[in-house]
Amino acid sequence: MTNVHPEQIATGSTVDADEVAFFAGIADSWWDPKGPFKPLHQLNPTRLAYIRQEVCRHFDLKDTLRPYETLRFLDIGCGGGLLSEPLKRLGADLVSVDASEKNIKVASLHAEQSGLDIDYRNTTAEALADAGETFDVIVNMEVIEHVADVSAYLEACRKLLKPGGIMLLSTINRTSKAYLFAIIGAEVILRWLPRGAHDWNKFLTPKELSDALEAASFTPSAPTGFSFNPLGGRWSLSDRDVAVNYAMSAAG
Amino acid sequence: MTGKSLRSDVTVIGGGLVGMATAIGLAQIGLSVTIIDMAPKGDLVAQEYDGRSSALAYASCRLLDGLGIWDHMEPYAQPILEIRVSDGPSLFHLHFDNETLGDGPLGHMVENRHTRIALFKRLEDIDTITYLAPEKVARIERTHGEARVITESGIEVSSTLLLGCDGRNSIVRKHADIGVTHWGYGQTGIVCSIEHEFSHCGIAHERFLPSGPFAILPLTGNRSSLVWSEKDHLVETIMALGPKAFEAEVKKRAGDFLGDISVIGGRWAYPLTLQCADKFHDNRLALVGDAAHGMHPIAGQGLNLGLRDVAALLEVIADSARVGLDYGDEGTLERYSAWRHTDTLTLLSVTDVLTRLFSNDIAPVRHLRDAGLATVDKITPLKNFFMSHARGTVGDLPRLLRGEPL
Ligand SMILES: Cc1cc2nc3c(=O)[nH]c(=O)nc-3n(C[C@H](O)[C@H](O)[C@H](O)COP(=O)(O)OP(=O)(O)OC[C@H]3O[C@@H](n4cnc5c(N)ncnc54)[C@H](O)[C@@H]3O)c2cc1C
Ligand SMILES: C[S@@+](CC[C@H](N)C(=O)[O-])C[C@H]1O[C@@H](n2cnc3c(N)ncnc32)[C@H](O)[C@@H]1O
């Protein structure tokens, strides 16, 4: 999987080059709903509903088809843009970044085909923070388990968030149920996960994520689970089942 | 008008009952809609255009209420308090009433014309729907990201999604090259309204005569709508009868329990066939209502089935649009198709079996079904099952049919 030249990966202390190279290697299949990212496609309606619910509640937005119109969004670790395109349709003023140049190319091309004008950039959280960019909402989904240094990463995110802003995270829990999903998932379910025992240790429990967020001066919420129903392959939001995949919001 | 081009989120071909209800629902979600119909608007609500009345199941009324249409039609709606099914000359009765199930009437009878007028009234409050009529579709083009319709007068409408609500002979279906399974029963439905001396007491009657089912369905006042299924080869003669002779034939079949009867208004003949499209969607396109399926009116379910499509389609579109997903993409339409195709096939096969079973005067078959009706009448759970079907409150119901907001 290291067929990607290192220069094509934006470097920084939070970037794990192997992880990013892995994603670049399968970037062409980001938008194939039946390809390796199938689980993310399946999860999309549910996590987008979570984002909408949290953002609308936090900013007291009207229930329209373009609720995000007044807000500046950052989609960090945007991959192929699976979340970016819906966020843009809902009116967000959006910057989407990924450490992999290949991902950014695939994402840009697809946005063009969808008739959407999205500001995609091949950069990192810390580079953006250094440039002094700030956002009302940071979407940070399925990225934290892939970064090299969680606290440095969250500190960069904290700088990127405007006062009164909100960040939405989601990640995999470190439980045996998640482990089972991940093992079977290597083939069928959660195929976007990092592989190998070393990476397994990078998974954060809700408690650990919550602590890390507090350490970076965020105010984290309780976790919300994404619960999978194998029949029909649909996910739903759950207050109780946080064993596999969960989300958390963090106020600035 | 030549060269004019419009852009709306969704284009609806066919401004019939189903197309209009769909458009209103889409506008309620927040999407802009263009409706194209080939008939002039005035014709659609004229007395002669559609002589049918529809039995709207309880769930369908909830949908119409959720879309803000019901209030406009309620004054013209006759509640159905009881359904009596009888088999020709025999005494066996199957009998459903609302007291068994509680929870309001089984459904309502409304003349299609009044439903159309109500839909147009509701349309007046909505400024995100463009109604183009009379306008015929000349060409349809679809790409990965959009559908374009070019009308005969040269108007071009492009959209994220195109809906075929253009009835049984849907040109949208033909354009997408979607096949249909089609079969007939050698029967035609003769439709007319009657005025009668006694009150119908909100009771709907369905009789199984040798030539096919004969239904007397209560309308407001001392009026009823008749659906008289007759063998094809006799229909031409019956339709050509003078007023007195036609009335005499009606009386012969309706009996005298309503007192003196007179036929009011015109009469219409509709071929009774059953059809189902092989699939309900294609790239950037979906079929809704009669364009997707048509059935024998024996169960009075045609429009109800169409409104179930409407509710399911609005729900999948709303779910996608609200979170910013492409509501015209394969994922969204596939969900609609999978949801509706199964339900439709079930109802179509039940209707088909019923039609064959009840359009038949062979003695053993008649005894069997009499036994069947009598049995169903005695077994409460079975009866409730049938009644819930009549009310349209079974299955994996879309939110609007459950009486919840979109
Ligand atoms: C005798 C009889 C009795 C019935 N009784 C009942 C009942 O009691 N209960 C019930 O639920 N259902 C009943 N039905 C069925 C019900 O009437 C239909 O299911 C319902 O009308 C279908 O509505 P629709 O909007 O899908 O199609 P339609 O009503 O056929 O509307 C199609 C529209 O598309 C337009 N159109 C067609 N082609 C084009 C084109 N090329 N370009 C532009 N516009 C076009 C037409 O002008 C029309 O306005 C009955 C049917 C029959 C025949
Ligand atoms: C599992 S994908 C998630 C993609 C997207 N957020 C989604 O949920 O659809 C993880 C992505 O994070 C990117 N990534 C990993 N570490 C990163 C970092 N430190 N900064 C920016 N992007 C990073 C990877 O290149 C990859 O595209």
Side-chain angles (χ1 to χ4, degrees):
Chain A
M1 286 297 174
T2 36
N3 51 353
V4 177
H5 199 267
E7 272 91 297
Q8 291 173 308
I9 296 174
T11 48
S13 61
T14 71
V15 175
D16 179 331
D18 282 349
E19 283 286 330
V20 174
F22 166 75
F23 283 108
I26 52 172
D28 286 329
S29 42
W30 270 112
W31 285 94
D32 176 1
K34 300 189 167 78
F37 295 108
K38 178 178 173 183
L40 282 183
H41 284 273
Q42 285 180 331
L43 191 52
N44 237 14
T46 312
R47 53 199 193 136
L48 286 164
Y50 174 77
I51 297 171
R52 183 182 172 117
Q53 165 192 308
E54 294 301 305
V55 173
C56 287
R57 185 189 299 154
H58 188 82
F59 293 100
D60 198 15
L61 302 177
K62 282 218 189 71
D63 186 19
T64 70
L65 288 188
R66 290 178 69 81
Y68 302 158
E69 241 159 2
T70 52
L71 299 174
R72 186 156 199 253
F73 273 64
L74 171 65
D75 182 8
I76 180 111
C78 62
L82 263 47
L83 294 167
S84 300
E85 292 195 9
L87 294 173
K88 188 76 194 178
R89 282 199 198 91
L90 294 182
D93 171 13
L94 175 70
V95 177
S96 293
V97 308
D98 199 281
S100 150
E101 190 193 19
K102 182 83 191 288
N103 284 347
I104 290 299
K105 278 197 176 135
V106 170
S108 306
L109 188 68
H110 194 274
E112 201 183 309
Q113 287 166 352
S114 305
L116 294 168
D117 184 14
I118 297 176
D119 184 358
Y120 279 116
R121 303 183 197 172
N122 176 210
T123 183
T124 62
E126 50 274 32
L128 272 182
D130 290 346
E133 301 255 15
T134 54
F135 302 88
D136 299 296
V137 182
I138 301 179
V139 172
N140 198 336
M141 299 250 158
E142 312 304 326
V143 181
I144 199 148
E145 66 271 26
H146 304 285
V147 304
D149 179 344
V150 171
S151 32
Y153 177 69
L154 287 181
E155 266 155 35
C157 291
R158 184 67 191 83
K159 283 189 210 144
L160 289 166
L161 194 64
K162 286 186 193 169
I166 188 171
M167 176 162 79
L168 293 325
L169 301 106
S170 73
T171 189
I172 305 281
N173 201 346
R174 198 175 66 249
T175 60
S176 47
K177 188 171 173 193
Y179 188 63
L180 270 174
F181 257 72
I183 298 211
I184 310 167
E187 290 317 321
V188 274
I189 305 180
L190 304 177
R191 272 179 291 193
W192 73 92
L193 293 180
R195 332 253 147 148
H198 163 71
D199 298 313
W200 175 253
N201 294 327
K202 289 165 82 174
F203 292 169
L204 301 174
T205 62
K207 172 85 174 73
E208 289 162 352
L209 178 59
S210 186
D211 290 348
L213 284 165
E214 268 177 12
S217 329
F218 285 100
T219 311
S221 71
T224 297
F226 294 144
S227 179
F228 186 69
N229 177 0
L231 299 171
R234 293 187 77 82
W235 295 78
S236 55
L237 297 180
S238 161
D239 290 339
R240 270 168 292 135
D241 179 15
V242 297
V244 178
N245 204 301
Y246 66 93
M248 199 176 273
S249 66
Chain B
M1 281 238 186
T2 313
K4 193 174 156 192
S5 65
L6 302 171
R7 155 91 219 169
S8 58
D9 295 327
V10 183
T11 302
V12 173
I13 308 293
L17 303 177
V18 164
M20 292 271 276
T22 308
I24 290 165
L26 291 169
Q28 214 156 289
I29 293 169
L31 298 169
S32 60
V33 187
T34 302
I35 305 179
I36 300 176
D37 202 293
M38 61 182 183
K41 220 167 163 175
D43 283 12
L44 291 172
V45 292
Q47 195 75 253
E48 318 77 50
Y49 182 77
D50 186 349
R52 283 173 290 174
S53 300
S54 297
L56 290 163
Y58 177 65
S60 299
C61 300
R62 284 211 284 222
L63 166 97
L64 292 165
D65 195 31
L67 297 179
I69 300 159
W70 184 249
D71 280 350
H72 295 299
M73 52 200 279
E74 189 162 23
Y76 310 98
Q78 166 64 45
I80 302 172
L81 304 173
E82 194 175 323
I83 302 175
R84 282 189 193 164
V85 183
S86 61
D87 188 8
S90 95
L91 291 173
F92 286 107
H93 265 189
L94 176 60
H95 148 247
F96 301 116
D97 62 39
N98 65 316
E99 270 148 38
T100 325
L101 269 191
D103 214 19
L106 295 161
H108 285 84
M109 279 298 296
V110 190
E111 293 145 280
N112 285 2
R113 195 172 78 90
H114 283 300
T115 308
R116 272 180 225 283
I117 293 172
L119 287 160
F120 278 114
K121 278 217 181 103
R122 177 73 178 97
L123 218 57
E124 284 168 15
D125 325 322
I126 302 174
D127 53 13
T128 48
I129 298 180
T130 309
Y131 195 99
L132 295 180
E135 236 0 293
K136 271 203 176 128
V137 175
R139 230 169 50 242
I140 298 174
E141 293 165 2
R142 286 175 295 148
T143 62
H144 174 71
E146 84 176 4
R148 222 179 354 261
V149 177
I150 297 98
T151 68
E152 282 183 0
S153 71
I155 303 176
E156 194 182 300
V157 190
S158 51
S159 298
T160 303
L161 175 63
L162 175 72
L163 299 177
C165 303
D166 49 347
R168 290 194 154 223
N169 300 313
S170 171
I171 56 137
V172 175
R173 190 181 66 218
K174 281 176 203 142
H175 148 82
D177 214 10
I178 298 176
V180 272
T181 310
H182 175 108
W183 62 102
Y185 300 95
Q187 289 178 4
T188 296
I190 302 170
V191 177
C192 66
S193 300
I194 55 171
E195 203 154 41
H196 34 78
E197 196 182 343
F198 307 142
S199 166
H200 46 53
C201 303
I203 303 170
H205 295 266
E206 181 124 358
R207 306 210 160 145
F208 296 103
L209 301 180
S211 60
F214 185 89
I216 308 171
L217 307 160
L219 296 174
T220 50
N222 274 5
R223 296 180 311 138
S224 291
S225 167
L226 298 188
V227 182
W228 163 9
S229 318
E230 191 49 82
K231 296 197 178 81
D232 280 343
H233 64 275
L234 297 175
V235 169
E236 209 178 316
T237 321
I238 295 172
M239 290 301 284
L241 291 175
K244 283 285 155 226
F246 181 74
E247 203 164 272
E249 289 300 320
V250 165
K251 283 181 179 165
K252 229 194 272 174
R253 286 164 178 81
D256 57 6
F257 71 98
L258 289 169
D260 198 26
I261 288 176
S262 55
V263 173
I264 46 171
R267 51 185 113 135
W268 290 264
Y270 300 95
L272 303 176
T273 54
L274 193 148
Q275 68 180 39
C276 186
D278 296 340
K279 53 178 187 170
F280 290 1
H281 82 291
D282 198 52
N283 174 41
R284 297 280 150 200
L285 163 162
L287 302 176
V288 197
D290 276 18
H293 45 68
M295 58 165 31
H296 194 292
I298 184 167
Q301 292 298 338
L303 180 56
N304 291 314
L305 196 61
L307 292 175
R308 272 175 175 253
D309 295 347
V310 175
L313 183 66
L314 291 175
E315 181 161 325
V316 300
I317 290 178
D319 284 353
S320 287
R322 282 207 184 117
V323 297
L325 289 169
D326 179 351
Y327 51 81
D329 75 357
E330 176 65 22
T332 308
L333 300 182
E334 167 66 36
R335 215 184 129 205
Y336 163 71
S337 232
W339 196 349
R340 295 304 309 147
H341 208 240
T342 331
D343 189 38
T344 303
L345 287 176
T346 313
L347 194 63
L348 288 186
S349 23
V350 170
T351 312
D352 181 51
V353 171
L354 280 176
T355 309
R356 286 169 197 282
L357 192 62
F358 287 105
S359 302
N360 178 328
D361 203 28
I362 305 164
V365 176
R366 209 179 61 222
H367 290 312
L368 265 177
R369 71 190 185 221
D370 286 348
L373 288 184
T375 313
V376 170
D377 201 44
K378 285 198 196 89
I379 306 174
T380 310
L382 207 58
K383 220 167 121 173
N384 286 348
F385 169 81
F386 277 106
M387 283 196 23
S388 314
H389 268 279
R391 303 171 99 232
T393 50
V394 278
D396 182 10
L397 285 190
R399 292 189 287 265
L400 277 169
L401 296 182
R402 292 199 302 253
E404 293 165 19
L406 249 182

